[in-house]
Amino acid sequence: MGASHAWELYRAELADGTPLFVKALGSGADDAPFAGMFQAEALGLSWLGRSFGSPVPDVWGWDPRTLVLSWVEERPPTPEAAERFGHRLAGMHLSGADSFGGSRDGFIGPLPLDNTPSDDWPEFYAERRLAPFLRRAADRGALTPPDVRIVEKVIDAVADLAGEPEPPARIHGDLWSGNVLWQDDGAVVVDPAAHGGHREADLAMLALFGLPHLDRVRDAYNEAAPLAAGWRARVPLHQLHPLLVHVCLYGAAYRTTTVDVARAALRGPD
């Protein structure tokens, strides 16, 4: 099928013809940077799957170098599927979490993700999602010192920008459009960085790189789980973390967008 980061992707079949999806570290890949990655993904999918709607594939098994999932046969996105996906995403979020973060650390793409639990979302977002990736991006030289100072202003202001407190939601955590596989009756989500987080984060990331029929998804979501007042103004705040991840992975190509989004987050509601 192809490759992504340090792993390769395959379609396999059981003896009875049942198709499976296999993700495996490449033969030349070093295990050490990815220790626990497939376990984290498998456990994250299983946790998301124990939610209302459970829009995830089944986990067949994993070991330190391999993850095996049920095969998802994709279909073209439709408005009707988008509506069903919005309802199921709301159900998944509303299933909740014990805290912000989780019982074990995880990964977002190939990068480690600190899931140390917290009862305070602004603190969690600032210290576990923004600051570590800002440091990594700065150390790489992909952000200039003035860029870093702009993001640091967001970190310092998260408590004021976050809106009214919400309980921890059961979120995917890396929900860009490429991780949404469309079905006739909705969509399946894959490659999670699952944790207890803010539900607006998943919706903001769907908007970041464009999702077909996003308005239909969001309208259906709002029917099932109305978003809090001011959510539109908080979209840049929630997009800042995935953009910092992209700067860490891909360098200065995402610098301008990241800085623009940080400035938008600081503006807050118009």
Side-chain angles (χ1 to χ4, degrees):
M1 286 179 57
S4 176
H5 300 297
W7 44 88
E8 298 171 350
L9 313 175
Y10 303 95
R11 185 185 191 276
E13 287 189 1
L14 297 178
D16 64 1
T18 300
L20 297 174
F21 172 82
V22 180
K23 179 191 289 188
L25 283 179
S27 57
D30 179 7
D31 289 16
F34 307 107
M37 182 181 69
F38 289 141
Q39 180 187 39
E41 184 171 346
L43 295 177
L45 285 169
S46 297
W47 181 62
L48 295 178
R50 295 192 297 273
S51 64
F52 306 122
S54 59
V56 296
D58 294 329
V59 177
W60 282 68
W62 75 89
D63 65 24
R65 295 185 64 88
T66 311
L67 174 68
V68 182
L69 308 175
S70 58
W71 180 262
V72 177
E73 196 67 46
E74 294 185 70
R75 296 286 185 264
T78 66
E80 294 75 20
E83 184 173 335
R84 295 186 188 101
F85 175 49
H87 287 149
R88 290 175 182 173
L89 184 62
M92 187 179 82
H93 287 168
L94 291 175
S95 295
D98 293 335
S99 64
F100 298 105
S103 59
R104 58 181 57 81
D105 290 342
F107 291 82
I108 183 162
L111 300 181
L113 196 63
D114 183 352
N115 284 332
T116 303
S118 173
D119 293 325
D120 184 283
W121 184 80
E123 178 185 66
F124 173 82
Y125 191 60
E127 296 183 2
R128 308 280 184 256
R129 293 297 179 263
L130 297 183
F133 294 95
L134 176 62
R135 287 194 297 270
R136 183 185 286 262
D139 290 345
R140 181 176 177 176
L143 295 177
T144 68
D147 299 337
V148 171
R149 285 194 289 274
I150 292 169
V151 178
E152 286 175 338
K153 288 180 181 179
V154 178
I155 291 172
D156 292 341
V158 168
D160 296 325
L161 300 171
E164 292 299 316
E166 291 207 2
R170 188 170 303 212
I171 72 168
H172 179 282
D174 191 10
L175 198 57
W176 72 288
S177 57
N179 286 340
V180 178
L181 308 183
W182 290 99
Q183 304 280 278
D184 290 335
D185 63 347
V188 170
V189 297
V190 296
D191 293 343
H195 63 280
H198 200 301
R199 63 198 182 108
E200 291 176 9
D202 275 351
L203 293 165
M205 196 163 183
L206 286 175
L208 184 57
F209 299 114
L211 180 80
H213 310 297
L214 177 60
D215 287 346
R216 194 72 171 261
V217 172
R218 210 155 39 200
D219 288 347
Y221 185 101
N222 256 315
E223 290 174 3
L227 291 163
W231 68 267
R232 292 183 186 276
R234 291 188 292 274
V235 168
L237 176 65
H238 293 289
Q239 290 179 339
L240 188 54
H241 168 240
L243 283 169
L244 285 170
V245 171
H246 275 69
V247 173
C248 293
L249 290 174
Y250 306 114
Y254 285 91
R255 171 189 166 269
T256 299
T257 303
T258 300
V259 173
D260 287 347
V261 163
R263 290 193 176 107
L266 287 169
R267 287 196 295 272
D270 292 334

